[in-house]
Amino acid sequence: MKIKTLLAAATLAASFAAGSAQAASFVTTPGSAAAFAAPAGDATVTFDGVLPAGFNLTTSLASIITGNTAISAQPAFSDGSAYLSVSAGGSADLTSTAIGYQSVSLFLGSIDSFNSIQLLDTLGNVIGSWPGWEFTTPANGDQVIPNTNRRITFTRSDTDALIGGVRFGSEFNALEVDNVVFAVPEASTWAMMLLGFGLAGMAIRSRRRQTKVVFA
């Protein structure tokens, strides 16, 4: 069992070092006041004021608003606070300049099939991409019902790079999102990574010391 654990740690460390294109997984929860509320995490973005330390928001045809407008609807079950709206052809990158995260959870309002979400690594590379129709059926933009107003939680796999941000996009009007929460890797994951890096280094040093003998 100990050998298997050490091998798993080394494999995990190698995968972090090499990176992977494998997409993270996600789960969705139908809308409710409890689902809208920001869950526990390490960095919470409510769009109600200053961003958490180490975070940036870069927008194109997107803005932070409150209430309903001609093109945007406040997410159902909202507490009436500000939210991020992305207009047709627009995008918004919410990124961490400090560390990477294990998971990110967000509340997506009136989900349309033409909405999109991409997970970014700490270098800005896309590690996963999903259209709105993958989060619910039908993704018809209904502004009231729980089915189209949902909390979506993305979690990176062991072979994915750490999550460094989220890109929100919409082909048409509009995408609405609120209460985005990032969570760091669990302590056990960090321990396995550090152990794996140590084992990988030992293996490299061991190979360098070996002498090749050739018999005539």
Side-chain angles (χ1 to χ4, degrees), residues 70-106:
I71 64 171
S72 300
Q74 186 128 20
F77 312 104
S78 168
D79 56 8
S81 59
Y83 63 96
L84 176 66
S85 172
V86 181
S87 303
S91 65
D93 287 7
L94 178 61
T95 55
S96 166
T97 60
I99 62 173
Y101 293 87
Q102 173 76 9
S103 65
V104 58
S105 180
L106 54 93

Side-chain angles (χ1 to χ4, degrees), residues 8-60:
T11 301
L12 177 61
S15 68
F16 271 85
S20 172
Q22 180 177 337
S25 61
F26 70 86
V27 295
T28 71
T29 304
S32 65
F36 175 81
D42 299 285
T44 300
V45 179
T46 64
F47 304 109
D48 294 323
V50 178
L51 294 173
F55 275 83
N56 287 329
L57 179 62
T58 306
T59 63
S60 173

Side-chain angles (χ1 to χ4, degrees), residues 3-20 156-160 189 191-201 203:
I3 293 176
K4 290 183 178 179
T5 301
L6 295 178
L7 289 174
T11 301
L12 177 61
S15 68
F16 271 85
S20 172
R156 54 169 292 280
S157 73
D158 289 343
T159 54
D160 287 326
T189 300
M192 288 287 284
M193 287 173 58
L194 293 173
L195 176 60
F197 281 126
L199 290 172

Side-chain angles (χ1 to χ4, degrees), residues 102-176:
Q102 173 76 9
S103 65
V104 58
S105 180
L106 54 93
F107 193 86
L108 194 61
S110 53
I111 301 171
D112 287 294
S113 60
F114 50 77
N115 296 153
S116 65
I117 293 179
Q118 294 181 322
L119 292 189
L120 309 176
D121 66 16
T122 54
L123 298 177
N125 302 308
V126 176
I127 58 175
S129 183
W130 298 266
W133 54 262
E134 288 200 40
F135 302 131
T136 189
T137 302
N140 59 8
D142 191 294
Q143 301 172 8
V144 179
I145 64 174
N147 188 52
T148 49
N149 294 266
R150 289 176 168 265
R151 176 156 293 280
I152 305 169
T153 301
F154 300 90
T155 303
R156 54 169 292 280
S157 73
D158 289 343
T159 54
D160 287 326
L162 291 175
I163 298 170
V166 188
R167 176 173 294 148
F168 304 101
S170 195
E171 186 177 358
F172 303 102
N173 292 327
L175 176 147
E176 299 91 5

